[in-house]
Amino acid sequence: MPNPQDYNLSEGALETILSGGDYPSAVMQVLGKKLIHSGAGDKERVRILLSDGKHTFSYAMLTTQVNGRLGPNGIEDNGIIRIEKYITSMVNNSTGQARVLLILEADLVVAGSEVKGKIGTPEPWTDKGTANSSSSRINGAPKKVETPSKVVDSPVISKPISKVSMDTSMNFDGSLIHPISSLTPYQNRWVIRARVTGKTPVKTWSNSRGEGKLFSFDLLDESGEIRCTAFRDLVDKFHDFLQVDKIYYISKGQLKMANKQFSTLKHEYEITINNDTQIQECKDVKDSDIPQVQYNFVPFDKIPELEVGTIIDAIGVVKSVGELITFQAKSTQRELKKKDVTLIDQSSTTIDLTLWGADAENFDAPNNPVVVVKGAKINEFGGGKSLSTLVSSNMSLNPEIKECYRLKGWYEREGGAVEAKNLSARSGNVASKWMTFKEVKDQKLGQSEKGDYYRTVGTILIIKAENFLYQACPSAECNKKVLDMGNGMYKCEKCNREYPNFKHRFLASINVGDNTANQWMTLFHPEIEKILGMTAEEVGQQIENKEEINNIIERATFRELIFTCRAKIETYNDEARLKTVCIRIEPIDYEEYNQYLVDQIQQLTG
DNA sequence: CCCCCCCC
């Protein structure tokens, strides 16, 4: 049996806490646990048997988040924890009212496996009848928020204590402000007091299940954060009313499982606003009593270490702003607008941030402001990284936070002139490796998913002119081959519509020889225009004139150029074949190429 | 009740 002297349990702490007192940083032992499955969700809450060495108490609960921090699989039996934040509540059960201790924040002091059993001989604690008051309401809260005349199914905070700043400024008498982290679908009477840390624009949708509009907003208090969504007429009621950064009382609403795929907020549930929801601005607390939105900024130079698709918070000085670009999304055919903003941070690294829609149109950034984005997505294209805002992202210019002042100061002192590494630069060295066709084959390049890139100096031997021009969809961004309907219309199956016209595009196979072997490769439109020195439209005008087409092909053949290629092994009918795509054709830079040859000679001669 | 988050 463990020696009680070895473990400083806070004897008597349970008595203090359960009588409504404050006991900061109580050290207690967890003697047992029981998972309480909350029905719909895949997460569970944990009910624990707690001991302070003098008493035990079995109506103690850990929130999922707290439990997760107490060990890889949550708290173990016999583990010793330090309780930093908690609330006590009265709830109804089969035998009347029972007191519940909800632990909001705790640290692991000693792992359960290191403690050999129960410490001391604690006795079960018994409540000597300290019922909480229940006929009060919150000062300043919406009038329609009524305290239940008797406690029904909701835990009611009898005294939020220990480091819960909610209580220091609370001038309500013994009733019901709930920490956000305690909200579950199984209690429908609650009031939270929280800051709106962000809200989305109104979005309308239309699909097979109907149509409507919605917006969502994020709430933050001392205990945690949660996303709320309002639909249809409730959008009109609350969208303009709610202002980012302000503090509100919110009561009632439907709790449902949060889909983690679409939110990075650390809460198991989300709130759907309904007709019972009351929201009123809170003017009776100091602004500093409710935490500000918290950022977890990732220095730009650490972004390459993160997985593509990760959502991060970013801060950077605007170094330059790109043009507004309008194009059609291939997948939805919707017209999209984007603008790339290049940001720099104190790691002397730049990265492009892509803004969309109205954000892109409205973005104007004179005098190198600091941009802060909560919830930007990491993207990758052509070997370069970029950030992109999502509808759920929150962007602000020059927010009044210390990181912003620090970065601005750095930029003015030195950052504006520093030579920065650009994360958004595409490819470059992935394709810079010189190799011959023979080396590519011998070394079996092209095994990887993305293929392997290399450059070689080669000569165009054959340009396959049959079908090297096709009739493509005329819409700006779609280059799909169209179907001639024979009635003057051309059908694009990708756009799913017919057009009265088409545009010419190139797609061809060419055979290239370098000084080791020759290789068939696919060449796309822009590179073919380059080698022919003519546009597809110009060639298209003369497509019936075989002789002229032959002349065009002949003029382009036997030219020596640099071919940047992607090699990828693909399997057809169980047979692996090397597929080569030429992604770029350039004239030979003899200075660079000679250097490569000199290096080769030096390697051969040692 | 959305849940798409886009492009080169």
Side-chain angles (χ1 to χ4, degrees), chain A residues 414-454:
Chain A
E414 52 180 314
V418 82
E419 183 144 349
K421 177 177 166 50
N422 179 16
L423 289 184
S424 299
R426 290 171 202 171
S427 62
N429 54 10
V430 290
S432 67
K433 195 167 41 171
W434 289 103
M435 287 188 92
T436 62
F437 292 139
K438 184 168 187 303
E439 284 170 323
V440 169
K441 279 181 192 134
D442 291 348
Q443 296 176 27
K444 298 198 185 338
L445 256 62
Q447 310 277 351
S448 72
E449 188 64 35
K450 289 177 176 174
D452 293 306
Y453 293 81
Y454 64 95

Side-chain angles (χ1 to χ4, degrees), chain A residues 300 303 310 312 314 340 343 351-356 376-379 385-389 424:
Chain A
F300 292 164
I303 287 176
T310 307
I312 62 161
D340 282 344
L343 303 178
I351 189 165
D352 289 352
L353 168 70
T354 306
L355 308 178
W356 299 93
K377 189 178 150 200
I378 300 175
N379 286 318
K385 295 279 201 277
S386 65
L387 296 173
S388 181
T389 56
S424 299

